[in-house]
Amino acid sequence: GGAGVPRINEAFLNLKASYLFAEVKKRTQAYRAAHPDARLIDLGIGDVTLPLPPVVVDALQAATREQARAETLRGYGPYVGYEFLRAAIAEHDFGSRGVTLAPDEIFVSDGGKSDAANIQELFAPDAVVALMDPAYPVYADANVIAGRSGPADASGRYPGFVYLPCTAENDFQPALPDRPVDLIYLCYPNNPTGAVMTRAMLRRWVDYAREHEAVIVYDAAYEAYIRDPDVPRSIYEIEGARAVAIESRSFSKSAGFTGLRMAYTVVPREAQGRTAAGAATSLNQLWLRRTSTKSNGPPYIVQRAAAAVYTSEGQKQVRGLVDSYMDNARTLREGLERAGLTVYGGRNAPYIWIRTPAGTSSWDFFDRLLAEAQIVGVPGSGFGPSGEGYFRVTAFGSHADSVEAVQRIATRLRG
Ligand code: PLP
């Protein structure tokens, strides 16, 4: 028996049996073990494949040399990130778009994943959470662990969450919640559907949040992939958003930092929550307190590497990376369409969202693509119940693999 050992947080038991990407990996490894000679093309988890931009490598090396001398050693840094990086972010990611942010509204972290998982700590245990369906799994899982979900029902939905279905039928644009919510997770450009949100749509959400006293957590991890000049790059381009929106970005997919780790979250000074007694409270101050308590900030050398991205040479090199992946996106989108599949996304996002053939479930399509074309993608149903009948492939593979993938699908996946 368990007597004499501590009780656990039983909310963990409400998580689905396996993290989506773990199941993808498991099935892929099983296939590999059974077919050791097969050459798999991995368009699944979505890790980057191109090397770091040279300015980033140079900055890493220079910062490392600083750490090698007592006179220039940097030990513990500011909990929230160095001022040189926060100032560069404010100027280049926002100032250039007409959005004024102060460095103390920007919190540097080790990843968009941690930020997406941690931000819910600012809100009450019984806060009501609205989630896009399908969505990046971290938003839901972090709130499950925090005890806001209860157990999932038979369809895989958590009765405690408000789901905002995003399907081809509504152009992957969620409808406003039909009951009161406190926290709304929006992600644009979207993982997994590849959709973007127009200015008018985003304004509806900001207006809704202001009217209904909700906070929007806006995940802009894929902002660098926006091509359409009319699509907003930051939620703060929308009037009134500073009071109701928290925005996160990541260096992972723009500058290839999936291994280095670097991201940031913006919590504007105007953003507020309230106590049970109704006292207004600054979310910026809460997040500062939380970050100071739980973090010593990302490594100095990585922050120097991130700052190098904002030099004019760095911007050029990052644009080159993004252009390469977007070239893959076009190759995949056009090739899959030619092969007769219905596809979405891939125009302002590095993800292609495939409609599985009629009668084929997401996991069936995964198994088929693996067996018939030796291609690994991600079943849409893994991102939420409304992802059933869809399948995600990423543009982060090599160009040669993207070309070969569409050839394999066109020639082998018939009937
Ligand atoms: N947000 C979204 C929507 C993502 O897809 C990802 C990564 O896949 C992240 C955040 C987190 O990225 P990272 O933790 O590498 O910064």
mmCIF file with all atom_site columns, all heavy atoms in Angstrom, residues 45 110-114 116 136 139 187 191 219 221-222 250-253 257-258 261-263 351, ligand 1:
data_model
loop_
_atom_site.group_PDB
_atom_site.id
_atom_site.type_symbol
_atom_site.label_atom_id
_atom_site.label_alt_id
_atom_site.label_comp_id
_atom_site.label_asym_id
_atom_site.label_entity_id
_atom_site.label_seq_id
_atom_site.pdbx_PDB_ins_code
_atom_site.Cartn_x
_atom_site.Cartn_y
_atom_site.Cartn_z
_atom_site.occupancy
_atom_site.B_iso_or_equiv
_atom_site.pdbx_formal_charge
_atom_site.auth_seq_id
_atom_site.auth_comp_id
_atom_site.auth_asym_id
_atom_site.auth_atom_id
_atom_site.pdbx_PDB_model_num
ATOM   1   N N   . ILE A 1 45  ? 7.293  15.891 -35.623 1.00 0.00 ? 45  ILE A N   1
ATOM   2   C CA  . ILE A 1 45  ? 7.341  16.747 -34.435 1.00 0.00 ? 45  ILE A CA  1
ATOM   3   C C   . ILE A 1 45  ? 7.618  18.208 -34.777 1.00 0.00 ? 45  ILE A C   1
ATOM   4   O O   . ILE A 1 45  ? 7.163  19.109 -34.075 1.00 0.00 ? 45  ILE A O   1
ATOM   5   C CB  . ILE A 1 45  ? 8.352  16.206 -33.409 1.00 0.00 ? 45  ILE A CB  1
ATOM   6   C CG1 . ILE A 1 45  ? 8.373  17.065 -32.140 1.00 0.00 ? 45  ILE A CG1 1
ATOM   7   C CG2 . ILE A 1 45  ? 9.754  16.087 -33.972 1.00 0.00 ? 45  ILE A CG2 1
ATOM   8   C CD1 . ILE A 1 45  ? 8.988  16.383 -30.950 1.00 0.00 ? 45  ILE A CD1 1
ATOM   9   N N   . ASP A 1 110 ? 13.217 30.528 -21.040 1.00 0.00 ? 110 ASP A N   1
ATOM   10  C CA  . ASP A 1 110 ? 13.907 29.448 -21.758 1.00 0.00 ? 110 ASP A CA  1
ATOM   11  C C   . ASP A 1 110 ? 13.025 28.776 -22.799 1.00 0.00 ? 110 ASP A C   1
ATOM   12  O O   . ASP A 1 110 ? 13.425 27.787 -23.390 1.00 0.00 ? 110 ASP A O   1
ATOM   13  C CB  . ASP A 1 110 ? 14.416 28.394 -20.766 1.00 0.00 ? 110 ASP A CB  1
ATOM   14  C CG  . ASP A 1 110 ? 13.280 27.538 -20.241 1.00 0.00 ? 110 ASP A CG  1
ATOM   15  O OD1 . ASP A 1 110 ? 12.130 28.020 -20.216 1.00 0.00 ? 110 ASP A OD1 1
ATOM   16  O OD2 . ASP A 1 110 ? 13.526 26.376 -19.871 1.00 0.00 ? 110 ASP A OD2 1
ATOM   17  N N   . GLY A 1 111 ? 11.815 29.269 -23.031 1.00 0.00 ? 111 GLY A N   1
ATOM   18  C CA  . GLY A 1 111 ? 11.028 28.635 -24.086 1.00 0.00 ? 111 GLY A CA  1
ATOM   19  C C   . GLY A 1 111 ? 9.571  29.024 -24.071 1.00 0.00 ? 111 GLY A C   1
ATOM   20  O O   . GLY A 1 111 ? 8.999  29.343 -23.020 1.00 0.00 ? 111 GLY A O   1
ATOM   21  N N   . GLY A 1 112 ? 8.994  29.000 -25.260 1.00 0.00 ? 112 GLY A N   1
ATOM   22  C CA  . GLY A 1 112 ? 7.574  29.255 -25.377 1.00 0.00 ? 112 GLY A CA  1
ATOM   23  C C   . GLY A 1 112 ? 6.768  28.156 -24.705 1.00 0.00 ? 112 GLY A C   1
ATOM   24  O O   . GLY A 1 112 ? 5.645  28.391 -24.245 1.00 0.00 ? 112 GLY A O   1
ATOM   25  N N   . LYS A 1 113 ? 7.342  26.964 -24.631 1.00 0.00 ? 113 LYS A N   1
ATOM   26  C CA  . LYS A 1 113 ? 6.626  25.866 -23.988 1.00 0.00 ? 113 LYS A CA  1
ATOM   27  C C   . LYS A 1 113 ? 6.444  26.158 -22.505 1.00 0.00 ? 113 LYS A C   1
ATOM   28  O O   . LYS A 1 113 ? 5.339  26.043 -21.978 1.00 0.00 ? 113 LYS A O   1
ATOM   29  C CB  . LYS A 1 113 ? 7.382  24.557 -24.179 1.00 0.00 ? 113 LYS A CB  1
ATOM   30  C CG  . LYS A 1 113 ? 6.638  23.351 -23.657 1.00 0.00 ? 113 LYS A CG  1
ATOM   31  C CD  . LYS A 1 113 ? 7.419  22.090 -23.936 1.00 0.00 ? 113 LYS A CD  1
ATOM   32  C CE  . LYS A 1 113 ? 6.526  20.868 -23.833 1.00 0.00 ? 113 LYS A CE  1
ATOM   33  N NZ  . LYS A 1 113 ? 7.253  19.641 -24.201 1.00 0.00 ? 113 LYS A NZ  1
ATOM   34  N N   . SER A 1 114 ? 7.535  26.552 -21.846 1.00 0.00 ? 114 SER A N   1
ATOM   35  C CA  . SER A 1 114 ? 7.418  26.861 -20.415 1.00 0.00 ? 114 SER A CA  1
ATOM   36  C C   . SER A 1 114 ? 6.459  28.024 -20.203 1.00 0.00 ? 114 SER A C   1
ATOM   37  O O   . SER A 1 114 ? 5.656  27.999 -19.269 1.00 0.00 ? 114 SER A O   1
ATOM   38  C CB  . SER A 1 114 ? 8.778  27.194 -19.800 1.00 0.00 ? 114 SER A CB  1
ATOM   39  O OG  . SER A 1 114 ? 9.829  26.827 -20.621 1.00 0.00 ? 114 SER A OG  1
ATOM   40  N N   . ALA A 1 116 ? 3.946  28.999 -22.090 1.00 0.00 ? 116 ALA A N   1
ATOM   41  C CA  . ALA A 1 116 ? 2.570  28.562 -22.348 1.00 0.00 ? 116 ALA A CA  1
ATOM   42  C C   . ALA A 1 116 ? 2.042  27.713 -21.189 1.00 0.00 ? 116 ALA A C   1
ATOM   43  O O   . ALA A 1 116 ? 0.859  27.767 -20.853 1.00 0.00 ? 116 ALA A O   1
ATOM   44  C CB  . ALA A 1 116 ? 2.501  27.759 -23.652 1.00 0.00 ? 116 ALA A CB  1
ATOM   45  N N   . TYR A 1 136 ? -2.089 23.244 -29.741 1.00 0.00 ? 136 TYR A N   1
ATOM   46  C CA  . TYR A 1 136 ? -0.828 22.819 -29.122 1.00 0.00 ? 136 TYR A CA  1
ATOM   47  C C   . TYR A 1 136 ? -1.173 22.249 -27.737 1.00 0.00 ? 136 TYR A C   1
ATOM   48  O O   . TYR A 1 136 ? -1.841 22.920 -26.949 1.00 0.00 ? 136 TYR A O   1
ATOM   49  C CB  . TYR A 1 136 ? 0.049  24.075 -29.019 1.00 0.00 ? 136 TYR A CB  1
ATOM   50  C CG  . TYR A 1 136 ? 1.413  23.940 -28.413 1.00 0.00 ? 136 TYR A CG  1
ATOM   51  C CD1 . TYR A 1 136 ? 2.334  23.006 -28.875 1.00 0.00 ? 136 TYR A CD1 1
ATOM   52  C CD2 . TYR A 1 136 ? 1.812  24.813 -27.384 1.00 0.00 ? 136 TYR A CD2 1
ATOM   53  C CE1 . TYR A 1 136 ? 3.606  22.933 -28.320 1.00 0.00 ? 136 TYR A CE1 1
ATOM   54  C CE2 . TYR A 1 136 ? 3.079  24.748 -26.841 1.00 0.00 ? 136 TYR A CE2 1
ATOM   55  C CZ  . TYR A 1 136 ? 3.966  23.802 -27.301 1.00 0.00 ? 136 TYR A CZ  1
ATOM   56  O OH  . TYR A 1 136 ? 5.223  23.748 -26.761 1.00 0.00 ? 136 TYR A OH  1
ATOM   57  N N   . TYR A 1 139 ? -1.257 23.961 -23.552 1.00 0.00 ? 139 TYR A N   1
ATOM   58  C CA  . TYR A 1 139 ? -2.230 24.824 -22.856 1.00 0.00 ? 139 TYR A CA  1
ATOM   59  C C   . TYR A 1 139 ? -3.186 23.966 -22.023 1.00 0.00 ? 139 TYR A C   1
ATOM   60  O O   . TYR A 1 139 ? -3.457 24.257 -20.857 1.00 0.00 ? 139 TYR A O   1
ATOM   61  C CB  . TYR A 1 139 ? -3.075 25.666 -23.825 1.00 0.00 ? 139 TYR A CB  1
ATOM   62  C CG  . TYR A 1 139 ? -2.353 26.259 -25.003 1.00 0.00 ? 139 TYR A CG  1
ATOM   63  C CD1 . TYR A 1 139 ? -2.864 26.104 -26.297 1.00 0.00 ? 139 TYR A CD1 1
ATOM   64  C CD2 . TYR A 1 139 ? -1.184 26.976 -24.842 1.00 0.00 ? 139 TYR A CD2 1
ATOM   65  C CE1 . TYR A 1 139 ? -2.230 26.650 -27.393 1.00 0.00 ? 139 TYR A CE1 1
ATOM   66  C CE2 . TYR A 1 139 ? -0.537 27.526 -25.939 1.00 0.00 ? 139 TYR A CE2 1
ATOM   67  C CZ  . TYR A 1 139 ? -1.060 27.357 -27.213 1.00 0.00 ? 139 TYR A CZ  1
ATOM   68  O OH  . TYR A 1 139 ? -0.428 27.892 -28.308 1.00 0.00 ? 139 TYR A OH  1
ATOM   69  N N   . CYS A 1 187 ? -3.741 31.027 -30.616 1.00 0.00 ? 187 CYS A N   1
ATOM   70  C CA  . CYS A 1 187 ? -2.423 30.826 -31.224 1.00 0.00 ? 187 CYS A CA  1
ATOM   71  C C   . CYS A 1 187 ? -2.502 31.141 -32.709 1.00 0.00 ? 187 CYS A C   1
ATOM   72  O O   . CYS A 1 187 ? -3.205 30.456 -33.448 1.00 0.00 ? 187 CYS A O   1
ATOM   73  C CB  . CYS A 1 187 ? -1.980 29.380 -31.015 1.00 0.00 ? 187 CYS A CB  1
ATOM   74  S SG  . CYS A 1 187 ? -0.480 28.941 -31.920 1.00 0.00 ? 187 CYS A SG  1
ATOM   75  N N   . ASN A 1 191 ? -0.572 26.610 -34.851 1.00 0.00 ? 191 ASN A N   1
ATOM   76  C CA  . ASN A 1 191 ? -0.173 25.225 -34.807 1.00 0.00 ? 191 ASN A CA  1
ATOM   77  C C   . ASN A 1 191 ? -1.352 24.498 -34.194 1.00 0.00 ? 191 ASN A C   1
ATOM   78  O O   . ASN A 1 191 ? -1.748 24.851 -33.076 1.00 0.00 ? 191 ASN A O   1
ATOM   79  C CB  . ASN A 1 191 ? 1.074  25.070 -33.920 1.00 0.00 ? 191 ASN A CB  1
ATOM   80  C CG  . ASN A 1 191 ? 1.455  23.629 -33.718 1.00 0.00 ? 191 ASN A CG  1
ATOM   81  O OD1 . ASN A 1 191 ? 1.023  22.755 -34.454 1.00 0.00 ? 191 ASN A OD1 1
ATOM   82  N ND2 . ASN A 1 191 ? 2.276  23.366 -32.707 1.00 0.00 ? 191 ASN A ND2 1
ATOM   83  N N   . ASP A 1 219 ? -0.424 33.230 -28.298 1.00 0.00 ? 219 ASP A N   1
ATOM   84  C CA  . ASP A 1 219 ? 0.820  32.529 -28.615 1.00 0.00 ? 219 ASP A CA  1
ATOM   85  C C   . ASP A 1 219 ? 1.202  32.848 -30.061 1.00 0.00 ? 219 ASP A C   1
ATOM   86  O O   . ASP A 1 219 ? 0.579  32.365 -31.001 1.00 0.00 ? 219 ASP A O   1
ATOM   87  C CB  . ASP A 1 219 ? 0.617  31.025 -28.416 1.00 0.00 ? 219 ASP A CB  1
ATOM   88  C CG  . ASP A 1 219 ? 1.908  30.235 -28.594 1.00 0.00 ? 219 ASP A CG  1
ATOM   89  O OD1 . ASP A 1 219 ? 2.868  30.755 -29.205 1.00 0.00 ? 219 ASP A OD1 1
ATOM   90  O OD2 . ASP A 1 219 ? 1.947  29.081 -28.129 1.00 0.00 ? 219 ASP A OD2 1
ATOM   91  N N   . ALA A 1 221 ? 4.210  32.188 -31.479 1.00 0.00 ? 221 ALA A N   1
ATOM   92  C CA  . ALA A 1 221 ? 5.486  31.492 -31.692 1.00 0.00 ? 221 ALA A CA  1
ATOM   93  C C   . ALA A 1 221 ? 5.890  31.472 -33.172 1.00 0.00 ? 221 ALA A C   1
ATOM   94  O O   . ALA A 1 221 ? 7.072  31.380 -33.496 1.00 0.00 ? 221 ALA A O   1
ATOM   95  C CB  . ALA A 1 221 ? 5.404  30.062 -31.156 1.00 0.00 ? 221 ALA A CB  1
ATOM   96  N N   . TYR A 1 222 ? 4.888  31.575 -34.069 1.00 0.00 ? 222 TYR A N   1
ATOM   97  C CA  . TYR A 1 222 ? 5.177  31.465 -35.505 1.00 0.00 ? 222 TYR A CA  1
ATOM   98  C C   . TYR A 1 222 ? 5.022  32.790 -36.244 1.00 0.00 ? 222 TYR A C   1
ATOM   99  O O   . TYR A 1 222 ? 4.836  32.812 -37.459 1.00 0.00 ? 222 TYR A O   1
ATOM   100 C CB  . TYR A 1 222 ? 4.301  30.367 -36.124 1.00 0.00 ? 222 TYR A CB  1
ATOM   101 C CG  . TYR A 1 222 ? 4.592  29.033 -35.486 1.00 0.00 ? 222 TYR A CG  1
ATOM   102 C CD1 . TYR A 1 222 ? 3.782  28.524 -34.484 1.00 0.00 ? 222 TYR A CD1 1
ATOM   103 C CD2 . TYR A 1 222 ? 5.723  28.317 -35.865 1.00 0.00 ? 222 TYR A CD2 1
ATOM   104 C CE1 . TYR A 1 222 ? 4.079  27.320 -33.861 1.00 0.00 ? 222 TYR A CE1 1
ATOM   105 C CE2 . TYR A 1 222 ? 6.026  27.111 -35.250 1.00 0.00 ? 222 TYR A CE2 1
ATOM   106 C CZ  . TYR A 1 222 ? 5.199  26.615 -34.251 1.00 0.00 ? 222 TYR A CZ  1
ATOM   107 O OH  . TYR A 1 222 ? 5.517  25.429 -33.643 1.00 0.00 ? 222 TYR A OH  1
ATOM   108 N N   . SER A 1 250 ? 8.753  33.052 -29.525 1.00 0.00 ? 250 SER A N   1
ATOM   109 C CA  . SER A 1 250 ? 9.857  32.125 -29.322 1.00 0.00 ? 250 SER A CA  1
ATOM   110 C C   . SER A 1 250 ? 10.912 32.334 -30.384 1.00 0.00 ? 250 SER A C   1
ATOM   111 O O   . SER A 1 250 ? 10.595 32.728 -31.508 1.00 0.00 ? 250 SER A O   1
ATOM   112 C CB  . SER A 1 250 ? 9.312  30.696 -29.413 1.00 0.00 ? 250 SER A CB  1
ATOM   113 O OG  . SER A 1 250 ? 10.369 29.773 -29.478 1.00 0.00 ? 250 SER A OG  1
ATOM   114 N N   . PHE A 1 251 ? 12.158 32.087 -30.040 1.00 0.00 ? 251 PHE A N   1
ATOM   115 C CA  . PHE A 1 251 ? 13.231 32.127 -31.035 1.00 0.00 ? 251 PHE A CA  1
ATOM   116 C C   . PHE A 1 251 ? 13.406 30.765 -31.707 1.00 0.00 ? 251 PHE A C   1
ATOM   117 O O   . PHE A 1 251 ? 14.248 30.614 -32.587 1.00 0.00 ? 251 PHE A O   1
ATOM   118 C CB  . PHE A 1 251 ? 14.554 32.546 -30.379 1.00 0.00 ? 251 PHE A CB  1
ATOM   119 C CG  . PHE A 1 251 ? 14.602 33.995 -29.972 1.00 0.00 ? 251 PHE A CG  1
ATOM   120 C CD1 . PHE A 1 251 ? 13.905 34.443 -28.859 1.00 0.00 ? 251 PHE A CD1 1
ATOM   121 C CD2 . PHE A 1 251 ? 15.325 34.916 -30.708 1.00 0.00 ? 251 PHE A CD2 1
ATOM   122 C CE1 . PHE A 1 251 ? 13.929 35.778 -28.473 1.00 0.00 ? 251 PHE A CE1 1
ATOM   123 C CE2 . PHE A 1 251 ? 15.359 36.265 -30.335 1.00 0.00 ? 251 PHE A CE2 1
ATOM   124 C CZ  . PHE A 1 251 ? 14.658 36.690 -29.218 1.00 0.00 ? 251 PHE A CZ  1
ATOM   125 N N   . SER A 1 252 ? 12.615 29.779 -31.274 1.00 0.00 ? 252 SER A N   1
ATOM   126 C CA  . SER A 1 252 ? 12.837 28.406 -31.746 1.00 0.00 ? 252 SER A CA  1
ATOM   127 C C   . SER A 1 252 ? 12.685 28.273 -33.252 1.00 0.00 ? 252 SER A C   1
ATOM   128 O O   . SER A 1 252 ? 13.539 27.718 -33.931 1.00 0.00 ? 252 SER A O   1
ATOM   129 C CB  . SER A 1 252 ? 11.855 27.454 -31.062 1.00 0.00 ? 252 SER A CB  1
ATOM   130 O OG  . SER A 1 252 ? 12.258 27.223 -29.736 1.00 0.00 ? 252 SER A OG  1
ATOM   131 N N   . LYS A 1 253 ? 11.569 28.757 -33.785 1.00 0.00 ? 253 LYS A N   1
ATOM   132 C CA  . LYS A 1 253 ? 11.258 28.486 -35.178 1.00 0.00 ? 253 LYS A CA  1
ATOM   133 C C   . LYS A 1 253 ? 11.660 29.638 -36.080 1.00 0.00 ? 253 LYS A C   1
ATOM   134 O O   . LYS A 1 253 ? 11.713 29.479 -37.286 1.00 0.00 ? 253 LYS A O   1
ATOM   135 C CB  . LYS A 1 253 ? 9.763  28.168 -35.325 1.00 0.00 ? 253 LYS A CB  1
ATOM   136 C CG  . LYS A 1 253 ? 9.276  27.054 -34.402 1.00 0.00 ? 253 LYS A CG  1
ATOM   137 C CD  . LYS A 1 253 ? 9.951  25.729 -34.661 1.00 0.00 ? 253 LYS A CD  1
ATOM   138 C CE  . LYS A 1 253 ? 9.733  24.689 -33.563 1.00 0.00 ? 253 LYS A CE  1
ATOM   139 N NZ  . LYS A 1 253 ? 8.377  24.298 -33.304 1.00 0.00 ? 253 LYS A NZ  1
ATOM   140 N N   . PHE A 1 257 ? 16.353 28.146 -32.562 1.00 0.00 ? 257 PHE A N   1
ATOM   141 C CA  . PHE A 1 257 ? 16.775 27.975 -31.164 1.00 0.00 ? 257 PHE A CA  1
ATOM   142 C C   . PHE A 1 257 ? 16.103 26.794 -30.450 1.00 0.00 ? 257 PHE A C   1
ATOM   143 O O   . PHE A 1 257 ? 16.022 26.802 -29.228 1.00 0.00 ? 257 PHE A O   1
ATOM   144 C CB  . PHE A 1 257 ? 16.473 29.252 -30.373 1.00 0.00 ? 257 PHE A CB  1
ATOM   145 C CG  . PHE A 1 257 ? 17.509 30.339 -30.481 1.00 0.00 ? 257 PHE A CG  1
ATOM   146 C CD1 . PHE A 1 257 ? 17.974 30.776 -31.713 1.00 0.00 ? 257 PHE A CD1 1
ATOM   147 C CD2 . PHE A 1 257 ? 18.036 30.951 -29.342 1.00 0.00 ? 257 PHE A CD2 1
ATOM   148 C CE1 . PHE A 1 257 ? 18.910 31.800 -31.814 1.00 0.00 ? 257 PHE A CE1 1
ATOM   149 C CE2 . PHE A 1 257 ? 18.969 31.974 -29.427 1.00 0.00 ? 257 PHE A CE2 1
ATOM   150 C CZ  . PHE A 1 257 ? 19.414 32.402 -30.658 1.00 0.00 ? 257 PHE A CZ  1
ATOM   151 N N   . THR A 1 258 ? 15.599 25.803 -31.176 1.00 0.00 ? 258 THR A N   1
ATOM   152 C CA  . THR A 1 258 ? 14.901 24.716 -30.472 1.00 0.00 ? 258 THR A CA  1
ATOM   153 C C   . THR A 1 258 ? 15.819 24.025 -29.467 1.00 0.00 ? 258 THR A C   1
ATOM   154 O O   . THR A 1 258 ? 15.370 23.576 -28.415 1.00 0.00 ? 258 THR A O   1
ATOM   155 C CB  . THR A 1 258 ? 14.311 23.670 -31.438 1.00 0.00 ? 258 THR A CB  1
ATOM   156 O OG1 . THR A 1 258 ? 15.365 23.185 -32.279 1.00 0.00 ? 258 THR A OG1 1
ATOM   157 C CG2 . THR A 1 258 ? 13.214 24.265 -32.316 1.00 0.00 ? 258 THR A CG2 1
ATOM   158 N N   . ARG A 1 261 ? 17.238 27.217 -26.737 1.00 0.00 ? 261 ARG A N   1
ATOM   159 C CA  . ARG A 1 261 ? 16.153 27.628 -25.847 1.00 0.00 ? 261 ARG A CA  1
ATOM   160 C C   . ARG A 1 261 ? 16.127 29.125 -25.586 1.00 0.00 ? 261 ARG A C   1
ATOM   161 O O   . ARG A 1 261 ? 17.034 29.658 -24.935 1.00 0.00 ? 261 ARG A O   1
ATOM   162 C CB  . ARG A 1 261 ? 16.203 26.882 -24.484 1.00 0.00 ? 261 ARG A CB  1
ATOM   163 C CG  . ARG A 1 261 ? 16.387 25.394 -24.544 1.00 0.00 ? 261 ARG A CG  1
ATOM   164 C CD  . ARG A 1 261 ? 15.327 24.708 -25.363 1.00 0.00 ? 261 ARG A CD  1
ATOM   165 N NE  . ARG A 1 261 ? 13.980 24.954 -24.856 1.00 0.00 ? 261 ARG A NE  1
ATOM   166 C CZ  . ARG A 1 261 ? 12.925 25.095 -25.641 1.00 0.00 ? 261 ARG A CZ  1
ATOM   167 N NH1 . ARG A 1 261 ? 13.029 25.000 -26.944 1.00 0.00 ? 261 ARG A NH1 1
ATOM   168 N NH2 . ARG A 1 261 ? 11.744 25.314 -25.117 1.00 0.00 ? 261 ARG A NH2 1
ATOM   169 N N   . MET A 1 262 ? 15.131 29.787 -26.078 1.00 0.00 ? 262 MET A N   1
ATOM   170 C CA  . MET A 1 262 ? 14.956 31.225 -25.804 1.00 0.00 ? 262 MET A CA  1
ATOM   171 C C   . MET A 1 262 ? 13.581 31.670 -26.295 1.00 0.00 ? 262 MET A C   1
ATOM   172 O O   . MET A 1 262 ? 13.186 31.350 -27.418 1.00 0.00 ? 262 MET A O   1
ATOM   173 C CB  . MET A 1 262 ? 16.040 32.035 -26.525 1.00 0.00 ? 262 MET A CB  1
ATOM   174 C CG  . MET A 1 262 ? 15.933 33.539 -26.381 1.00 0.00 ? 262 MET A CG  1
ATOM   175 S SD  . MET A 1 262 ? 16.085 34.175 -24.709 1.00 0.00 ? 262 MET A SD  1
ATOM   176 C CE  . MET A 1 262 ? 17.653 33.470 -24.245 1.00 0.00 ? 262 MET A CE  1
ATOM   177 N N   . ALA A 1 263 ? 12.890 32.387 -25.432 1.00 0.00 ? 263 ALA A N   1
ATOM   178 C CA  . ALA A 1 263 ? 11.567 32.912 -25.779 1.00 0.00 ? 263 ALA A CA  1
ATOM   179 C C   . ALA A 1 263 ? 11.285 34.117 -24.898 1.00 0.00 ? 263 ALA A C   1
ATOM   180 O O   . ALA A 1 263 ? 12.113 34.470 -24.058 1.00 0.00 ? 263 ALA A O   1
ATOM   181 C CB  . ALA A 1 263 ? 10.498 31.838 -25.553 1.00 0.00 ? 263 ALA A CB  1
ATOM   182 N N   . TYR A 1 351 ? 3.135  25.011 -41.168 1.00 0.00 ? 351 TYR A N   1
ATOM   183 C CA  . TYR A 1 351 ? 2.400  23.755 -41.059 1.00 0.00 ? 351 TYR A CA  1
ATOM   184 C C   . TYR A 1 351 ? 1.386  23.612 -42.185 1.00 0.00 ? 351 TYR A C   1
ATOM   185 O O   . TYR A 1 351 ? 0.720  24.576 -42.553 1.00 0.00 ? 351 TYR A O   1
ATOM   186 C CB  . TYR A 1 351 ? 1.670  23.681 -39.707 1.00 0.00 ? 351 TYR A CB  1
ATOM   187 C CG  . TYR A 1 351 ? 2.623  23.606 -38.542 1.00 0.00 ? 351 TYR A CG  1
ATOM   188 C CD1 . TYR A 1 351 ? 2.742  24.649 -37.642 1.00 0.00 ? 351 TYR A CD1 1
ATOM   189 C CD2 . TYR A 1 351 ? 3.433  22.483 -38.363 1.00 0.00 ? 351 TYR A CD2 1
ATOM   190 C CE1 . TYR A 1 351 ? 3.640  24.581 -36.584 1.00 0.00 ? 351 TYR A CE1 1
ATOM   191 C CE2 . TYR A 1 351 ? 4.338  22.405 -37.314 1.00 0.00 ? 351 TYR A CE2 1
ATOM   192 C CZ  . TYR A 1 351 ? 4.431  23.457 -36.433 1.00 0.00 ? 351 TYR A CZ  1
ATOM   193 O OH  . TYR A 1 351 ? 5.326  23.393 -35.391 1.00 0.00 ? 351 TYR A OH  1
HETATM 194 N N1  . PLP B 2 .   ? 3.835  27.504 -28.977 1.00 0.00 ? 1   PLP B N1  1
HETATM 195 C C1  . PLP B 2 .   ? 3.533  26.765 -30.032 1.00 0.00 ? 1   PLP B C1  1
HETATM 196 C C2  . PLP B 2 .   ? 2.229  26.949 -30.702 1.00 0.00 ? 1   PLP B C2  1
HETATM 197 C C3  . PLP B 2 .   ? 4.429  25.796 -30.496 1.00 0.00 ? 1   PLP B C3  1
HETATM 198 O O1  . PLP B 2 .   ? 4.097  25.035 -31.529 1.00 0.00 ? 1   PLP B O1  1
HETATM 199 C C4  . PLP B 2 .   ? 5.665  25.636 -29.840 1.00 0.00 ? 1   PLP B C4  1
HETATM 200 C C5  . PLP B 2 .   ? 6.639  24.626 -30.273 1.00 0.00 ? 1   PLP B C5  1
HETATM 201 O O2  . PLP B 2 .   ? 6.385  23.722 -30.978 1.00 0.00 ? 1   PLP B O2  1
HETATM 202 C C6  . PLP B 2 .   ? 5.919  26.436 -28.749 1.00 0.00 ? 1   PLP B C6  1
HETATM 203 C C7  . PLP B 2 .   ? 4.993  27.371 -28.343 1.00 0.00 ? 1   PLP B C7  1
HETATM 204 C C8  . PLP B 2 .   ? 7.151  26.306 -27.908 1.00 0.00 ? 1   PLP B C8  1
HETATM 205 O O3  . PLP B 2 .   ? 8.334  26.473 -28.503 1.00 0.00 ? 1   PLP B O3  1
HETATM 206 P P1  . PLP B 2 .   ? 9.647  26.570 -27.643 1.00 0.00 ? 1   PLP B P1  1
HETATM 207 O O4  . PLP B 2 .   ? 9.398  25.981 -26.285 1.00 0.00 ? 1   PLP B O4  1
HETATM 208 O O5  . PLP B 2 .   ? 10.674 25.793 -28.394 1.00 0.00 ? 1   PLP B O5  1
HETATM 209 O O6  . PLP B 2 .   ? 9.974  28.031 -27.529 1.00 0.00 ? 1   PLP B O6  1
#
